[in-house]
Structures are given as C-alpha cells and as structure tokens.
C-alpha cells in the first residue's frame, strides 16, 4: 500500500493538494492539522468486519510532502 501511495502522492507535493486528493477519495483527517505528521483514515463496512486504511503523511516546514506510509487493517467482530 505504501508504494502505491508514494506513486500517487510524490514527495514534494503541496500539503493542500494531498489533503484535497485524500478527502475526495473518502479519507477523513484524524488528529491535529497543526502537526508535521498527519493521519487520514478510510473505513469500509463489510459486516461483520471493518476494513481500515490509514495514511500517515510527513510534511516539511514549507508544507511539502516528505514521506507517506500506508497501513491496512481488517477488524472483525
């Protein structure tokens, strides 16, 4: 997942653009927008399970993307 994210959100991308892209795909910001590291979450219900896609972004002081990590979790009742 991380490699695909890195292809779609290349280093140096503007924070505003990255956030807009993720939001348009259904991701929701988690935590403070003030941090250099920001997290976004997308959940898909498939009872009795929930798929969670978590994207962690690191920005520099100029609000340019430095790194992106992706995590996938399947949680079932």
């Amino acid at each position: 997942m991380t490699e695909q994210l890195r292809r779609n959100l290349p280093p140096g991308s503007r924070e505003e653009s990255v956030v807009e892209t993720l939001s348009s795909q259904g991701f929701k910001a988690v935590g403070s927008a003030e941090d250099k590291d920001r997290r976004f979450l997308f959940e898909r219900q498939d009872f009795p399970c929930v798929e969670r896609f978590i994207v962690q972004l690191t920005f520099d002081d100029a609000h340019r993307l430095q790194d992106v990590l992706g995590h996938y979790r399947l949680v079932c009742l």
Side-chain angles (χ1 to χ4, degrees):
M1 182 173 167
T2 295
E3 290 307 314
Q4 182 177 356
L5 285 166
R6 286 182 177 154
R7 282 191 301 273
N8 294 325
L9 304 170
S13 298
R14 294 183 55 224
E15 182 175 6
E16 181 180 288
S17 175
V18 172
V19 169
E20 183 178 304
T21 298
L22 290 173
S23 294
S24 72
Q25 294 175 357
F27 283 84
K28 296 188 187 322
V30 178
S32 173
E34 302 298 317
D35 296 333
K36 284 186 181 181
D37 289 342
R38 297 190 59 190
R39 292 184 339 153
F40 289 79
L41 172 67
F42 178 85
E43 290 186 330
R44 181 172 35 211
Q45 298 286 333
D46 189 17
F47 190 79
C49 300
V50 176
E51 291 180 289
R52 290 186 177 154
F53 300 88
I54 302 164
V55 176
Q56 182 174 335
L57 307 165
T58 303
F59 294 95
D60 63 15
D61 292 333
H63 302 281
R64 297 283 182 175
L65 184 63
Q66 295 300 300
D67 196 16
V68 59
L69 296 173
H71 305 281
Y72 170 81
R73 291 193 182 122
L74 181 64
V75 180
C76 297
L77 298 175

